[in-house]
Amino acid sequence: MAIKDKNGQVLTTSEIRSKVETRLKTIFLEMWTGFLWWGVGNLPFHSWRRFFYRLSGMKIGPQSTIHMMARIYHPSGISIGQGSLIGERVTLDGRRQLPNSRGGLSIGNHVDIASEVMIWTSKHDVKSSEMKTVEERVVIGDYVFIGPRAIIMPGVIIGEGAVIAAGAIVTKDVEPYQIVAGLPAKVIDQRPKTASNYRLGRPRLFQ
């Protein structure tokens, strides 16, 4: 009996083997992701969470931390510089699994990301007849501040010192020191370049 894919195409033996291997890898990654979400994300100690995130392949610089209940996708595709604080219940998407993927997430030094921010590097091509997945890298420069519940879409580059207002949806690049707000985000002001020489305070304990 012929085995077909979801589009009804008959698969060869090598294609079946490849799909089985891919599915097993995906299931393992989903299990590990669940462990990071429900296990590691609820640990009340920053040092323990950093240990498991780094064990998963995430690059986290000195004095940087991720607060509790974060949603992490593909941690090995995420890098965080030094002295950055990331709030609770954030979504960090490091996916770069597709062939020739341009995905992944890079967060710079002394970046302040507030609670419930969502940063995505993977999306569907809604014009594709197959709803193909597209992965595009997100880069967040040094000294960026992202307010609560903002959403950063795939492929966006946020320049040094930029400010993203609470609840903004960022679909295009943000130039250095711009302040953006709205749906979709638009420039509303400019931040002085002298505002990029500070160090963030300590992370909240047991959070």
Side-chain angles (χ1 to χ4, degrees):
M1 182 177 178
I3 297 178
K4 301 179 180 180
D5 65 12
K6 64 180 181 180
N7 298 314
Q9 300 297 317
V10 176
L11 299 171
T12 65
T13 302
S14 61
E15 288 173 334
I16 293 170
R17 185 183 303 112
S18 176
K19 283 186 173 293
V20 169
E21 291 174 355
T22 300
R23 180 59 60 87
L24 291 174
K25 290 178 181 178
T26 300
I27 291 172
F28 174 78
L29 182 59
E30 288 171 351
M31 291 174 61
W32 186 255
T33 298
F35 169 67
L36 292 179
W37 287 14
W38 305 110
V40 176
N42 285 301
L43 292 173
F45 304 105
H46 295 287
S47 59
W48 291 7
R49 292 197 299 275
R50 277 194 297 265
F51 171 79
F52 282 106
Y53 290 145
R54 285 169 174 157
L55 183 66
S56 301
M58 187 186 301
K59 298 178 178 63
I60 306 177
Q63 289 82 52
S64 287
T65 196
I66 301 172
H67 284 83
M68 291 177 66
M69 293 172 281
R71 295 290 183 260
I72 309 292
Y73 293 88
H74 209 276
S76 64
I78 300 172
S79 66
I80 302 171
Q82 64 179 8
S84 293
L85 295 180
I86 298 175
E88 65 267 23
R89 296 187 178 90
V90 299
T91 299
L92 302 179
D93 184 359
R95 283 176 284 188
R96 53 180 187 186
Q97 299 166 277
L98 299 175
N100 303 314
S101 173
R102 296 180 295 168
L105 170 60
S106 176
I107 298 172
N109 303 318
H110 313 295
V111 174
D112 190 354
I113 299 178
S115 301
E116 300 184 12
V117 168
M118 302 172 75
I119 303 174
W120 298 104
T121 64
S122 181
K123 64 181 180 180
H124 288 287
D125 180 358
V126 296
K127 295 183 179 179
S128 166
S129 60
E130 299 176 359
M131 280 286 283
K132 289 184 176 180
T133 302
V134 179
E135 294 173 348
E136 297 180 331
R137 187 172 184 80
V138 171
V139 178
I140 298 173
D142 299 342
Y143 294 102
V144 167
F145 171 73
I146 303 178
R149 296 192 174 181
I151 299 175
I152 313 299
M153 298 301 292
V156 167
I157 298 175
I158 301 177
E160 178 180 324
V163 174
I164 312 300
I169 298 180
V170 183
T171 61
K172 297 180 180 179
D173 293 353
V174 180
E175 296 297 318
Y177 300 98
Q178 286 182 341
I179 301 175
V180 302
L183 314 171
K186 296 181 180 178
V187 179
I188 60 170
D189 206 345
Q190 194 76 15
R191 190 182 190 189
K193 293 185 178 181
T194 54
S196 61
N197 59 0
Y198 55 82
R199 298 292 183 269
L200 298 171
R202 68 173 179 82
R204 299 183 300 275
L205 297 177
F206 310 108
Q207 291 186 45

